[in-house]
Amino acid sequence: MTQQPIIFCTVLFLLLKVTPTFAQSQKDADAIKSMCGCFDVTFNYAETFSNDTAYTPKYSKAIKAVEYVIAIEDKPGHIILQHILDAGDGGIIKHWRQDWDYENTSLYDFLGDNKWKTYETVQDKTAGQWSQKVYEVDDSPRYSATGTWIHSDGKTYWETTCNAPLARRDYTKRSDYNLLRRRNRHEITTYGWLHEQDNEKILKTDSTQKVLVAEKGWNTYKKINASECEKAATWWKQNAAFWALVRKVWQQELAGRNEWKLDRKLDDHKLFDNLIALSKKEMVEASEEETAIRTAIQAYLR
């Protein structure tokens, strides 16, 4: 009889200790999945300030589009969101992807000049956090970071800082910087969600880092009727199996690599263009398709 109160108190202590963490992670997961849906998106970017008085800001631009965001994997502590862009006359485009993992310690860092490295962080530093790994349109790694979802004062948001390659709007046009330091904030709003960015475009050498110019990003995702994304949803159903193979091959190719480099173009062709061509090619067996995808990726991966 004397042991029962001790056992009861021990169980109660464990429940009190674990339940808030579980409740928090579930609240975080709900916030992540609320970024799914059909959205009217405006991508706003403006170069804002430079310490170099001779530098002239290159642009201020706003691009509108319809974007379909779907959770292609949804497991406890692991959520993958795939973005599909409806570019109107430009057709349906597989857009960026974000992988979210709870208390993940395995991340990668961008070093500049199309080079990345993997690194491990200690468990204590990621307790209660979610990592976000962002991937390019061809499912190659772009950037990753870990941070805490905040639910306070009527706001729900997640923010981090990490290094990334040149912005997609720049890397085919510019060579005056080679690293983008991204300060990302994902905030759930009454209209949908906001992806806010405070970036620094940096020219990095072996011994120095020079901030060329600061940039503000203000990308609004305003939820609209699901019917507006029917074309994107249909396109994804028709192409999901192919891109699942692409993700599988990338995972296998990067496994065990501490560092890697990606060529942006080979013979004036981007990897994404080659993969799109493969997705439209009829093949007899899935193994043939997987081999073709692997060959395409290996050609760009160093």
Side-chain angles (χ1 to χ4, degrees), residues 41 43 64-68 83-88 91-95 232:
V41 186
F43 302 101
K64 292 183 178 293
V66 171
E67 186 126 301
Y68 176 57
H83 292 237
I84 310 295
L85 189 69
D86 187 339
I92 305 299
I93 301 171
K94 178 187 172 295
H95 209 189

Side-chain angles (χ1 to χ4, degrees), residues 162-180:
C162 64
N163 295 328
L166 272 65
R168 283 186 291 268
R169 56 198 170 275
D170 280 350
Y171 69 61
T172 58
K173 304 172 183 176
R174 296 177 63 169
S175 58
D176 54 349
Y177 78 100
N178 57 4
L179 186 146
L180 186 70

Side-chain angles (χ1 to χ4, degrees), residues 54 62 150 163 253:
I150 305 297
N163 295 328
E253 288 298 316

Side-chain angles (χ1 to χ4, degrees), residues 119-224:
Y119 69 95
E120 294 285 331
T121 186
V122 297
Q123 185 75 43
D124 289 349
K125 289 187 177 181
T126 64
Q129 294 187 347
W130 286 77
S131 69
Q132 182 202 48
K133 293 182 178 179
V134 169
Y135 295 84
E136 293 276 13
V137 294
D138 56 16
D139 280 320
S140 62
R142 182 162 175 76
Y143 60 85
S144 72
T146 182
T148 303
W149 275 94
I150 305 297
H151 311 274
S152 180
D153 297 331
K155 292 183 178 182
T156 295
Y157 62 92
W158 176 95
E159 58 185 16
T160 58
T161 300
C162 64
N163 295 328
L166 272 65
R168 283 186 291 268
R169 56 198 170 275
D170 280 350
Y171 69 61
T172 58
K173 304 172 183 176
R174 296 177 63 169
S175 58
D176 54 349
Y177 78 100
N178 57 4
L179 186 146
L180 186 70
R181 182 157 296 142
R182 304 181 61 109
R183 294 179 176 88
N184 286 311
R185 178 184 174 103
H186 289 249
E187 181 173 352
I188 310 306
T189 66
T190 55
Y191 59 76
W193 58 285
L194 167 68
H195 185 193
E196 183 180 0
Q197 301 169 46
D198 288 285
N199 302 326
E200 292 176 338
K201 297 181 178 181
I202 296 171
L203 182 59
K204 180 184 177 183
T205 68
D206 290 339
S207 58
T208 64
Q209 290 191 24
K210 177 187 176 182
V211 178
L212 182 68
V213 65
E215 177 189 66
K216 185 70 179 182
W218 190 267
N219 302 337
T220 55
Y221 289 73
K222 296 183 178 179
K223 189 160 283 191
I224 55 178

Side-chain angles (χ1 to χ4, degrees), residues 35-62:
M35 290 189 283
C36 292
C38 185
F39 300 95
D40 190 359
V41 186
T42 302
F43 302 101
N44 295 284
Y45 292 99
E47 292 189 344
T48 57
F49 177 79
S50 176
N51 284 322
D52 185 348
T53 56
Y55 181 84
T56 301
K58 296 294 187 289
Y59 60 75
S60 176
K61 63 171 62 176

